[in-house]
Amino acid sequence: MELRGVPVSDAESCYVGIRRSEGNNNEFRSGTKHGRAKAKFSRLMNADRMARMVFDSPAVGMQTLVFDPDEARDTLAQEEIGPVEQAQIVTRGAVRAIRRTRERLADTGEQFVYFGVRDMDTDGLSHWHIYWCVDQTHVDGDSLDLLAGIESHVRHVPGATDADHPATEAVKWDPNPTQTVEAHGADMSHGGPVHPSGRYVASSLPHLGSVGEMDSRAVRHGAIEWATTSKALKVRNRDDLPVEIKRLSEGGSSR
């Protein structure tokens, strides 16, 4: 396996070296991959807290988008699909799924927020998780709206199949998130607990772990994201939401 012409193992070593160099540079530490990842993580945590606080009747949903690179390789008539290309293919599918889900939700109302993060499994395959929070007072959202995005992903992405996106696994929906929200660590000193789905998605951000603490999957994830041009984070907070939520979208979120 290669990463832009370099063996993946060599790319991982280079990535760890860069992360270590960034950590040792006190002057520019706030602008490092790790520093930016931690800042993004905090913004996503706050987006969940704020949305559930200001929505009259919040509901939380999560989508999981995957595809089989072997099937995609056959469909595209290619000998192989590398990790960067695999990440980009699944990201194009995520963009379509997000667009389709937004269209479904917008048909019944405009009050919702979302954030999606490209993650990596233990086999080194990229996939996406997208977290949604809607106000059921204005948005008649349910799992069918999230499944519409999944169906769009399956329909348009080579290698994405219905079998890999069963409703019980590809879509999670919690109509009463205040009953399942949990506190972890320093949550209470940073604005309160976060919904488990929101935490799960935000924790998939690349470069979030510290050098020496990252496992092999996190190193592989970071190295591939380092080599990939497409963004690993998609965020949109609707313009007509309270100003507190709109402010959370500032500072580098993709639109």
Side-chain angles (χ1 to χ4, degrees):
M1 293 178 58
E2 291 188 346
L3 198 60
R4 295 193 178 278
V6 177
V8 170
S9 58
D10 291 348
E12 291 175 345
S13 297
C14 291
Y15 169 71
V16 171
I18 288 176
R19 287 290 311 279
R20 185 174 290 114
S21 297
E22 287 183 337
N24 291 332
N25 191 327
N26 294 323
E27 185 177 357
F28 299 107
R29 183 169 296 179
S30 62
T32 63
K33 292 178 178 61
H34 182 53
R36 293 196 300 271
K38 289 179 65 177
K40 291 176 182 177
F41 181 82
S42 296
R43 288 203 303 274
L44 298 185
M45 295 293 94
N46 284 334
D48 168 75
R49 293 185 183 107
M50 188 63 66
R52 287 185 297 100
M53 181 175 68
V54 302
F55 287 165
D56 292 329
S57 181
V60 168
M62 187 180 77
Q63 297 165 316
T64 298
L65 305 168
V66 302
F67 82 98
D68 185 339
D70 290 332
E71 291 196 23
R73 181 190 61 202
D74 295 339
T75 302
L76 298 172
Q78 295 185 7
E79 293 186 1
E80 64 180 26
I81 292 179
V84 169
E85 185 179 10
Q86 197 260 331
Q88 293 172 334
I89 290 174
V90 75
T91 296
R92 288 196 290 271
V95 171
R96 283 183 175 273
I98 290 171
R99 182 184 303 122
R100 180 61 182 134
T101 305
R102 283 177 52 186
E103 290 172 353
R104 284 289 295 264
L105 294 176
D107 285 343
T108 59
E110 292 291 338
Q111 290 205 310
F112 60 86
V113 299
Y114 73 81
F115 53 85
V117 178
R118 187 167 56 211
D119 196 4
M120 177 172 292
D121 64 19
T122 54
D123 294 324
L125 298 178
S126 296
H127 57 278
W128 275 83
H129 297 293
I130 302 107
Y131 168 85
W132 300 83
C133 186
V134 306
D135 188 349
Q136 296 181 102
T137 304
H138 304 283
V139 179
D140 187 22
D142 60 24
S143 58
L144 293 178
D145 296 306
L146 299 188
L147 281 171
I150 297 288
E151 291 168 354
S152 175
H153 174 74
V154 171
R155 191 164 56 249
H156 293 101
V157 176
T161 66
D162 289 316
D164 290 329
H165 295 86
T168 55
E169 297 179 14
V171 174
K172 307 290 186 184
W173 193 257
D174 184 358
N176 301 296
T178 56
Q179 298 178 15
T180 52
V181 68
E182 300 174 0
H184 295 261
D187 279 353
M188 299 312 297
S189 61
H190 286 81
V194 176
H195 192 274
S197 293
R199 179 180 302 280
Y200 181 76
V201 175
S203 295
S204 299
L205 285 166
H207 322 308
L208 198 57
S210 300
V211 174
E213 298 178 353
M214 294 184 294
D215 59 17
S216 58
R217 186 204 65 82
V219 171
R220 175 70 56 89
H221 187 29
I224 289 177
E225 293 302 335
W226 174 44
T228 303
T229 56
S230 58
K231 291 185 178 180
L233 173 66
K234 305 293 181 184
V235 178
R236 181 63 184 261
N237 300 322
R238 302 298 298 176
D239 294 337
D240 56 349
L241 290 176
V243 67
E244 292 87 351
I245 289 182
K246 288 193 289 183
R247 288 172 180 164
L248 294 175
S249 66
E250 299 173 355
S253 298
S254 60
R255 291 178 177 272

